[in-house]
Amino acid sequence: MRIGIIGPSDTVKKVTEVCLEFSGVEAVPLVYQDPVEVTGIVNSRQGEMQGLFFCGPVPYLIATQGIQREIPWSYLVFESTGLLLALFRAVSGMPQILARGFRFSVDTLASVEVEEILRETGLAVGALYTRDLLPGVDLKRDFAEFHRNLYREGKTDFCISCVRVVVESLGRDGVPCFSVTPASQTIRGGLQRLLLEIRNSQKDYMRPVVGLVCPAARPGKGRIPQEGLQALHRTLLAYGEKRNILVVAREDECFQLVENYGQLFTETDGLKKNPLRKALLEATGLDVGLGYGVGHSLGISGAYAEKALDLGLADPSGACFLCDGFEARILGESPAGSSINLVTDPVPALDRSGKLRMTPAAVSRYLRAIEMIGEVFSAADLARQLGISVKGSRKILSAFLSAKIVASSGRRAYPGKGRPERLFRFSGKGGEKTCSIS
């Protein structure tokens, strides 16, 4: 079993050493110098592996934003042990700051999580500044500027970062910066979860899922106080850590969960339960808005989650929905098949299924497969998604081209590997003429 280990060299080395404890596992080091390299690494190497293990939430979040997950992915969670070790290294070299209370900044980790750890240690802290992990942000630049500015303004004595390239950049600028390093036990637990997922995985279950938790109260119930938001954040972090789900605080005071469809399916007992809603209500007393989206990329899943959240907030019973772009299904105990059709203007293929000599169910299945693949795809891509032969996929695409449901979109060539593949894109209207499939 080949597992790609993606991260900076020092952490990859440590994870690779722990992998030696698992028989039948070959750890393949996939080292980057800068997190921006993650997308290229995953795109080029994912097909060679049975699973990918990311050395922290930062590379994992970068990958989920634009890459279709084809195999099980998991990431290394930064737990309290790593932060405490970084703090120990920092203060042991600066004993003079212990008496007055040390001041520091930390990135990636949530503020409520850091504050709770510090309360348990009993250490005197003069000031704490945190920078949460946010999707769609240039993390290297944002984190480095955050720490650098605070130190140069005299507000901090040192900083702690979960991103190796940030530590190195600040070190060159003379800013005291210490790295959060994971304990072997934490690595071992993360690898065990990934191996279990690999053994039980199916491709459909690898699709990314985004969950949105909105603390904005329902109409007529007023605004939720800051203490309530903090309690909600703590509960979500604990829930995410237990289930290996990434939890990210968004700038609009909502919270984003990132998992895969297999995790959600298992967690909800086949979509029949809603344990997160129940856990939040019991721990905080808050009945918040909750919606899930599933698609072929994090961006599409996020857009579907927004729709699901809107539907839930507008629903009189406060239902939670799972949206896939075609329908929104009620999550939890509900009548069998309870869902809302999101395609108000049916795709021409559904109207013309008779002319295509396909059943409406078959056409719907093919359209869903195309949606999962991405914007541009080949006959081979569709064949892999449907689990059929390339010859069968070409036959489907030939009919879809005739019906102007898909359109030709150039060719893709691999040097030294035969003739180029024809590419297609979903059209709805299509091109001007029928093409044969090559």
Side-chain angles (χ1 to χ4, degrees), residues 25 123 131 167 173 182-184 209 219 295 300 335 340 384 401 428:
V25 174
L123 292 170
R131 192 72 153 192
V167 176
D173 293 340
S184 295
V209 169
I300 287 179
I340 297 175
R384 283 191 292 269
L401 276 167

Side-chain angles (χ1 to χ4, degrees), residues 2 6 39-54 60 63-74 194 197-209 259-262 295-298 369 372-378 380-386 412 414 421:
R2 303 186 81 209
I6 301 178
T39 301
I41 292 174
V42 176
N43 273 327
S44 63
R45 304 298 298 274
Q46 181 173 212
E48 306 169 16
M49 309 295 165
Q50 279 73 56
L52 290 179
F53 190 75
F54 297 85
Y60 176 80
T64 56
Q65 289 183 77
I67 303 176
Q68 182 177 348
R69 189 186 317 216
E70 299 177 353
I71 57 176
W73 294 0
S74 189
L194 176 60
E197 188 174 342
I198 291 172
R199 295 187 181 104
N200 295 287
S201 68
Q202 296 179 27
K203 186 167 184 178
D204 190 50
Y205 288 166
M206 294 302 100
R207 291 184 293 164
V209 169
E259 53 189 312
N260 63 45
Y261 185 68
H296 72 264
S297 70
L298 189 70
M372 287 170 59
I373 297 170
E375 184 177 351
V376 178
F377 59 94
S378 67
D381 293 331
L382 181 59
R384 283 191 292 269
Q385 187 66 43
L386 290 169
R412 177 169 58 199
Y414 296 97
E421 292 181 304

Side-chain angles (χ1 to χ4, degrees), residues 1-305:
M1 184 184 299
R2 303 186 81 209
I3 297 177
I5 313 299
I6 301 178
S9 58
D10 56 343
T11 312
V12 167
K13 181 181 178 182
K14 189 170 184 177
V15 173
T16 302
E17 290 171 351
V18 175
C19 279
L20 296 174
E21 301 174 13
F22 298 90
S23 61
V25 174
E26 178 190 356
V28 180
L30 302 175
V31 176
Y32 61 73
Q33 301 297 320
D34 190 303
V36 298
E37 301 168 27
V38 168
T39 301
I41 292 174
V42 176
N43 273 327
S44 63
R45 304 298 298 274
Q46 181 173 212
E48 306 169 16
M49 309 295 165
Q50 279 73 56
L52 290 179
F53 190 75
F54 297 85
C55 296
V58 170
Y60 176 80
L61 183 60
I62 291 172
T64 56
Q65 289 183 77
I67 303 176
Q68 182 177 348
R69 189 186 317 216
E70 299 177 353
I71 57 176
W73 294 0
S74 189
Y75 71 96
L76 182 59
V77 178
F78 288 124
E79 297 183 343
S80 57
T81 305
L83 176 61
L84 290 174
L85 288 173
L87 279 173
F88 176 77
R89 290 195 299 270
V91 300
S92 62
M94 307 177 190
Q96 70 280 5
I97 66 174
L98 282 173
R100 62 170 171 80
F102 54 88
R103 306 165 303 164
F104 73 104
S105 56
V106 59
D107 62 50
T108 305
L109 303 175
S111 57
V112 292
E113 188 176 17
V114 178
E115 290 166 1
E116 189 170 321
I117 293 170
L118 292 174
R119 279 196 298 271
E120 292 174 355
T121 65
L123 292 170
V125 179
L128 168 65
Y129 303 89
T130 60
R131 192 72 153 192
D132 288 353
L133 179 62
L134 296 173
V137 175
D138 184 342
L139 298 174
K140 175 185 174 182
R141 184 179 64 183
D142 182 69
F143 284 172
E145 288 181 354
F146 162 70
H147 292 300
R148 187 184 297 111
N149 291 341
L150 286 170
Y151 182 75
R152 288 178 176 173
E153 291 168 8
K155 295 180 179 179
T156 58
D157 301 304
F158 60 88
C159 59
I160 293 177
S161 178
C162 297
V163 184
R164 168 59 61 182
V165 69
V166 172
V167 176
E168 294 171 351
S169 174
L170 292 172
R172 290 192 293 270
D173 293 340
V175 179
C177 189
F178 300 86
S179 178
V180 174
T181 54
S184 295
Q185 183 60 38
T186 304
I187 296 172
R188 195 172 295 113
L191 288 170
Q192 288 171 339
R193 287 191 294 269
L194 176 60
L195 294 175
L196 182 62
E197 188 174 342
I198 291 172
R199 295 187 181 104
N200 295 287
S201 68
Q202 296 179 27
K203 186 167 184 178
D204 190 50
Y205 288 166
M206 294 302 100
R207 291 184 293 164
V209 169
V210 169
L212 291 180
V213 179
C214 181
R218 299 181 185 279
K221 293 191 176 181
R223 186 177 176 83
I224 295 175
Q226 189 64 30
E227 308 84 71
L229 294 178
Q230 292 177 347
L232 178 63
H233 199 177
R234 284 194 295 270
T235 305
L236 284 171
L237 288 169
Y239 187 88
E241 183 175 341
K242 183 177 180 180
R243 291 165 176 78
N244 198 34
I245 297 171
L246 180 62
V247 177
V248 179
R250 303 201 329 174
E251 292 179 334
D252 56 1
E253 293 191 341
C254 287
F255 300 93
Q256 178 172 301
L257 315 178
V258 179
E259 53 189 312
N260 63 45
Y261 185 68
Q263 287 175 295
L264 180 68
F265 193 84
T266 302
E267 171 193 351
T268 59
D269 190 18
L271 309 181
K272 297 192 293 289
K273 298 179 180 179
N274 193 351
L276 177 57
R277 181 86 166 274
K278 182 179 179 181
L280 294 176
L281 187 60
E282 291 178 349
T284 68
L286 300 176
D287 185 19
V288 299
L290 175 62
Y292 291 95
V294 56
H296 72 264
S297 70
L298 189 70
I300 287 179
S301 298
Y304 293 163

